[in-house]
Amino acid sequence: MLKLISEWAFPLFLGFIIISSVIKKKDAVSSFCTGAKQGFSAICSVTPNILAIMVASAIFRKSGAMDFFLHYLTPVFRFFYIPKGIAELILLRPVSGSGAMVLLSQIYEAFGADSYEGLLASVICASTETTLYTVMIYFGVTRVKNTKFPLLIGLLTDFIVILLAVAFVNLLLAAS
Amino acid sequence: MQGNISQMLPVITEATGNCGSFVLKLLFLTSFFSGVIQMGEDAGLMQKISSFLQPLLKRIFETNNPKILKKISINISANLLGIGNAATPSGLAAMEVLDEENNQSPHPSDDMCRFVLFNTCSIQLIPTTIMGLRAMAGSKNPAVIVLPVIMVSFFSLMTGLLICNLLLRLNKKRKPLC
């Protein structure tokens, strides 16, 4: 049942969009092209960010700095049942969206997309946002100077996501 | 310190090489899904969801200003559908009106905190990019994460709002914390 919902969600979503586009008599192809062009330029504009993160994280890892930090962080992560392999992702996720995508695909390569690490990383990435960036730009258009409270709540909620993700991945996906 | 300083250049060239293939992967995947989502947006899907959401949002937010509620609901429905480039402009517009209602005070209003929380929690219903990346990484079942993601997003947002409201109420009884 759970599997059925998950599997059908995307095909239904896709079908629903196409059908509603046809019913409303919209030009589906030109809509698609407009959106695709926007998506294309969005990725092009974050390519330098992706490059910077990829090089920085490779150096961070290969130089041994990662191991140095992990040595101290692993007991904390173990306390919350978070596997060591996704520690770096959790630290980077609130700060950089493209960086998190890079680490996510590296986790898939290292452990496999259907491994426990892969599933957990997928759920965490999909359920959190680039909290720091979001708070910054949303309050950037206001006169509000004091953003400590919203930032704190945002990061706390990100942490709740991690705990819930561990619980739900174990509950729903560990058996399959 | 670890004695592998000589490997720095090879590590950099390897990482830049990987960057090319990763960006290519992401480039066409994202453009495809942006295209699909744009079709839905042009068909008025976002307005539908937004008018459905408004009565619900009235219970969460304190404001009675229909203009603000409309902007908030458009932002939230864009987020639910995963339309990043529609979510941000409507979100910023909502923040601007909330700022007016807050008399442009340097302290965030309660509704601002709640609204930003909606945006720092990812409430996207179908995580298309991540499913695509999973499929490209050879997952047997890329979609298996959909249900856990919806449940985790929902419960985390509810817990976050609950904690937020609780802290805001405590904050009002004492002198303002921040």
Side-chain angles (χ1 to χ4, degrees), chain A residues 23-90:
Chain A
I23 288 176
K24 286 277 167 76
K25 293 200 171 62
K26 297 283 175 185
D27 186 350
V29 177
S30 85
S31 293
F32 177 82
C33 292
T34 314
K37 202 185 267 173
Q38 278 170 2
F40 198 88
S41 52
I43 293 296
C44 284
S45 63
V46 297
T47 301
N49 306 43
I50 293 178
L51 179 64
I53 289 280
M54 282 192 97
V55 174
S57 97
I59 291 177
F60 189 64
R61 216 173 297 161
K62 294 274 169 63
S63 67
M66 186 70 202
D67 295 332
F68 177 78
F69 280 106
L70 275 185
H71 180 73
Y72 293 100
L73 284 174
T74 310
V76 182
F77 282 114
R78 196 180 295 139
F79 181 76
F80 294 109
Y81 297 95
I82 302 164
K84 194 176 156 190
I86 64 167
E88 204 184 350
L89 175 76
I90 289 174

Side-chain angles (χ1 to χ4, degrees), chain A residues 149-169:
Chain A
F149 179 73
L151 193 61
L152 207 82
I153 289 285
L155 290 175
L156 183 71
T157 314
D158 286 347
F159 182 66
I160 294 171
V161 165
I162 295 165
L163 300 185
L164 284 172
V166 171
F168 276 103
V169 168

Side-chain angles (χ1 to χ4, degrees), chain B residues 121-166:
Chain B
C121 288
S122 169
I123 48 171
Q124 188 177 357
L125 285 176
I126 302 184
T128 44
T129 308
I130 289 174
M131 275 163 59
L133 283 176
R134 285 174 57 75
M136 282 195 276
S139 166
K140 281 196 191 104
N141 193 352
V144 77
I145 59 161
V146 171
L147 203 66
V149 165
I150 292 176
M151 290 168 100
V152 169
S153 299
F154 178 77
F155 286 120
S156 67
L157 178 64
M158 287 303 131
T159 325
L161 280 174
L162 211 71
I163 295 174
C164 183
N165 282 345
L166 212 72

Side-chain angles (χ1 to χ4, degrees), chain B residues 42-77:
Chain B
D42 287 349
L45 219 56
M46 219 164 72
Q47 268 68 28
K48 273 255 169 62
I49 299 181
S50 136
S51 59
F52 172 78
L53 280 177
Q54 273 189 41
L56 282 171
L57 294 174
K58 245 179 221 162
R59 292 164 178 268
I60 295 174
F61 292 96
E62 275 167 5
T63 178
N64 284 317
N65 187 339
K67 207 169 101 194
I68 298 182
L69 278 171
K70 181 142 192 273
K71 289 206 164 86
I72 289 178
S73 67
I74 289 178
N75 168 268
I76 290 173
S77 38

